[in-house]
Amino acid sequence: MSDPSEIPVLPLSELPVSSFKQMGLVPETKVRILEALEEEPAHGYLLAEKLGLSHGYIYTHLKELREEGMIEVVEESEGKKVYGLTQNGEYLLLALTDLE
């Protein structure tokens, strides 16, 4: 996939999110990660601990979410990447939580 910074930011009205969660297109784990990152940026180990998931499982989802343009590295120090939501990630989370 191309560089995530090249993914265009779409207005919420253009995101086809109404059926994402219902159809299982956005797995619950990814939604939980997005919700945690909405609260505060975090590195993978902290997310794994907070969500009760294995490190390998978290990093697989973080990689996918980054490639999809939903999250980005907001800080990197001592070999740890701190992730935060992109604008598209915020829009997706907003749309998914509005469905509930």
Side-chain angles (χ1 to χ4, degrees), residues 76-81:
E76 191 168 355
S77 66
E78 299 179 18
K80 291 184 180 179
K81 294 178 183 174

PDB file of all heavy atoms in Angstrom, residues 76-81:
ATOM      1  N   GLU A  76       8.116   9.244  18.550  1.00  0.00           N
ATOM      2  CA  GLU A  76       8.957   8.055  18.609  1.00  0.00           C
ATOM      3  C   GLU A  76      10.165   8.373  19.464  1.00  0.00           C
ATOM      4  O   GLU A  76      10.879   9.341  19.206  1.00  0.00           O
ATOM      5  CB  GLU A  76       9.388   7.633  17.204  1.00  0.00           C
ATOM      6  CG  GLU A  76      10.037   6.281  17.160  1.00  0.00           C
ATOM      7  CD  GLU A  76      10.207   5.751  15.744  1.00  0.00           C
ATOM      8  OE1 GLU A  76       9.736   6.383  14.784  1.00  0.00           O
ATOM      9  OE2 GLU A  76      10.820   4.681  15.617  1.00  0.00           O
ATOM     10  N   SER A  77      10.349   7.565  20.522  1.00  0.00           N
ATOM     11  CA  SER A  77      11.515   7.745  21.378  1.00  0.00           C
ATOM     12  C   SER A  77      11.883   6.417  22.011  1.00  0.00           C
ATOM     13  O   SER A  77      11.020   5.600  22.319  1.00  0.00           O
ATOM     14  CB  SER A  77      11.253   8.796  22.457  1.00  0.00           C
ATOM     15  OG  SER A  77      10.271   8.361  23.357  1.00  0.00           O
ATOM     16  N   GLU A  78      13.166   6.210  22.156  1.00  0.00           N
ATOM     17  CA  GLU A  78      13.689   4.983  22.758  1.00  0.00           C
ATOM     18  C   GLU A  78      13.133   3.733  22.088  1.00  0.00           C
ATOM     19  O   GLU A  78      12.830   2.735  22.746  1.00  0.00           O
ATOM     20  CB  GLU A  78      13.406   4.965  24.256  1.00  0.00           C
ATOM     21  CG  GLU A  78      14.046   6.118  25.010  1.00  0.00           C
ATOM     22  CD  GLU A  78      13.734   6.103  26.495  1.00  0.00           C
ATOM     23  OE1 GLU A  78      13.318   5.055  27.020  1.00  0.00           O
ATOM     24  OE2 GLU A  78      13.903   7.154  27.113  1.00  0.00           O
ATOM     25  N   GLY A  79      12.962   3.797  20.782  1.00  0.00           N
ATOM     26  CA  GLY A  79      12.487   2.642  20.025  1.00  0.00           C
ATOM     27  C   GLY A  79      11.000   2.361  20.136  1.00  0.00           C
ATOM     28  O   GLY A  79      10.514   1.383  19.593  1.00  0.00           O
ATOM     29  N   LYS A  80      10.268   3.212  20.824  1.00  0.00           N
ATOM     30  CA  LYS A  80       8.821   3.024  20.963  1.00  0.00           C
ATOM     31  C   LYS A  80       8.085   4.044  20.113  1.00  0.00           C
ATOM     32  O   LYS A  80       8.369   5.233  20.161  1.00  0.00           O
ATOM     33  CB  LYS A  80       8.383   3.176  22.422  1.00  0.00           C
ATOM     34  CG  LYS A  80       8.855   2.072  23.316  1.00  0.00           C
ATOM     35  CD  LYS A  80       8.309   2.246  24.716  1.00  0.00           C
ATOM     36  CE  LYS A  80       8.797   1.129  25.614  1.00  0.00           C
ATOM     37  NZ  LYS A  80       8.301   1.292  26.978  1.00  0.00           N
ATOM     38  N   LYS A  81       7.131   3.550  19.349  1.00  0.00           N
ATOM     39  CA  LYS A  81       6.283   4.418  18.542  1.00  0.00           C
ATOM     40  C   LYS A  81       4.998   4.692  19.313  1.00  0.00           C
ATOM     41  O   LYS A  81       4.345   3.770  19.791  1.00  0.00           O
ATOM     42  CB  LYS A  81       5.946   3.755  17.205  1.00  0.00           C
ATOM     43  CG  LYS A  81       7.148   3.569  16.316  1.00  0.00           C
ATOM     44  CD  LYS A  81       6.769   2.860  15.035  1.00  0.00           C
ATOM     45  CE  LYS A  81       8.011   2.629  14.194  1.00  0.00           C
ATOM     46  NZ  LYS A  81       7.717   1.831  13.007  1.00  0.00           N
TER      47      LYS A  81
END
